[in-house]
Amino acid sequence: MRRIDRDLIDVLKWVGFAPWSLFWMSAAIGYGLIFRKDPHTPLSWARRYWSPGAAVISGCELTQHAGFVPQPGKPYIFMMNHQSMFDIVCAFIHVPVNLRFIAKKILQSIPFLGWYMTVTGMIFVDRRNREQALQSLQDACDKIRSGIPILVYPEGTRSKDGTILPFKKGPFMFALQAGVPIVPVAINGSINILLPGSPFVRPGKVDIVMGQPIPTEGLTVQDRDALMQRVRDAIIDLHVQIGGKGGDKAQVLAAEGKEGVSVTESE
């Protein structure tokens, strides 16, 4: 296919993808303003309508491999490797529960996106204010224990070549504090759907799979490193299983100063 034809198709996909996303975000915001105590319904719209439609518009061929099936109403922390912002679309399709994210506080001020994240009950953390950040994480722990599942990216940023990067400590401190199971999730191929810095979605194949839950109940801070190793090993094994590059199992921990809580925006 000639480049000019491919560029035209990319533009047409964006013409479809952007209004589709804006429509469902606007619907969720409108619903949230009327029914302020029901974030679950607009989240279910994202899972049932927006994400499948976004996958069709983008030309994403998503293969969902058999694995763990979470039980609705039970608390989980899903930890997934991060290849692109399109990971969110694939996660909404594959994980059959209404997911929340831990996000930077600054995202809350972005029109539409911030409004949408607010009405759907996303958890915002202002890491410039340590006291507020700790309170936000405590609130998140209370929410997850009540049965609200959360998705985090333990790498903390998108992998540039698809390999599994070292993990940050923050998500595991959070998991230990919450005391709920960690479900490892591996995704491969989304790096080619939505490239960093590009607004255009491209067709491609994506594979995703969930592994068996890893318990945290009864573990302490002294168990953190072993827990990190176990979760990272599980994600690497799942990644290889679905055709990914995996990663170096010896490089578990992110560099000094890069071990904070992972959020939905790359750091």
Side-chain angles (χ1 to χ4, degrees):
M1 182 181 294
R2 294 180 302 173
R3 180 177 178 80
I4 189 171
D5 293 335
R6 188 176 62 202
D7 290 345
L8 178 59
I9 291 174
D10 287 344
V11 171
L12 291 174
K13 285 182 179 294
W14 177 246
V15 169
F17 187 87
W20 178 254
S21 299
L22 186 60
F23 169 79
W24 285 108
M25 288 175 67
S26 299
I29 292 167
Y31 183 93
L33 290 174
I34 298 171
F35 303 99
R36 294 180 180 272
K37 295 184 178 181
D38 179 19
H40 306 291
T41 297
L43 272 178
S44 71
W45 294 347
R47 181 165 53 85
R48 296 165 57 193
Y49 305 118
W50 170 73
S51 51
V56 170
I57 292 170
S58 68
C60 171
E61 182 182 331
L62 181 63
T63 299
Q64 303 183 65
H65 296 261
F68 173 69
V69 178
Q71 299 180 42
K74 286 204 169 184
Y76 301 101
I77 297 176
F78 296 90
M79 291 195 181
M80 185 169 77
N81 63 301
H82 197 14
Q83 292 194 341
S84 85
M85 295 307 292
F86 204 79
D87 294 345
I88 295 174
V89 173
C90 298
F92 272 139
I93 293 173
H94 185 63
V95 182
V97 293
N98 292 334
L99 296 170
R100 266 82 169 187
F101 300 89
I102 297 176
K104 292 179 180 179
K105 180 71 174 178
I106 193 172
L107 294 180
Q108 194 171 19
S109 62
I110 298 177
F112 283 100
L113 176 61
W115 304 336
Y116 173 80
M117 295 178 76
T118 299
V119 300
T120 52
M122 301 301 174
I123 299 164
F124 296 98
V125 177
D126 185 358
R127 288 178 299 178
R128 296 170 298 181
N129 185 325
R130 178 175 175 79
E131 183 177 342
Q132 186 177 358
L134 292 174
Q135 183 59 52
S136 297
L137 291 176
Q138 180 58 56
D139 293 343
C141 288
D142 293 340
K143 285 185 177 181
I144 195 172
R145 291 191 201 102
S146 71
I148 294 176
I150 291 177
L151 175 68
V152 299
Y153 300 118
E155 294 164 295
T157 189
R158 290 166 286 189
S159 172
K160 295 181 180 179
D161 62 0
T163 58
I164 309 298
L165 302 175
F167 283 0
K168 294 190 171 190
K169 298 176 185 176
F172 295 90
M173 296 299 293
F174 170 66
L176 289 170
Q177 185 175 352
V180 302
I182 295 172
V183 178
V185 184
I187 188 168
N188 186 55
S190 59
I191 192 171
N192 300 316
I193 301 286
L194 184 58
L195 299 175
S198 172
F200 299 118
V201 288
R202 301 180 184 275
K205 296 182 178 181
V206 178
D207 294 85
I208 189 168
V209 65
M210 272 188 289
Q212 293 300 313
I214 296 172
T216 64
E217 187 176 5
L219 300 183
T220 67
V221 175
Q222 285 70 34
D223 301 305
R224 182 199 62 208
D225 292 352
L227 179 64
M228 290 179 64
Q229 182 80 63
R230 184 177 177 186
V231 173
R232 190 168 181 274
D233 285 354
I235 294 177
I236 288 174
D237 290 342
L238 290 169
H239 198 238
V240 172
Q241 174 186 316
I242 61 175
K245 296 180 179 180
D248 185 351
K249 290 187 176 181
Q251 296 182 356
V252 180
L253 181 63
E256 189 70 24
K258 301 285 187 178
E259 62 277 73
V261 174
S262 302
V263 294
T264 58
E265 182 182 338
S266 297
E267 298 175 308

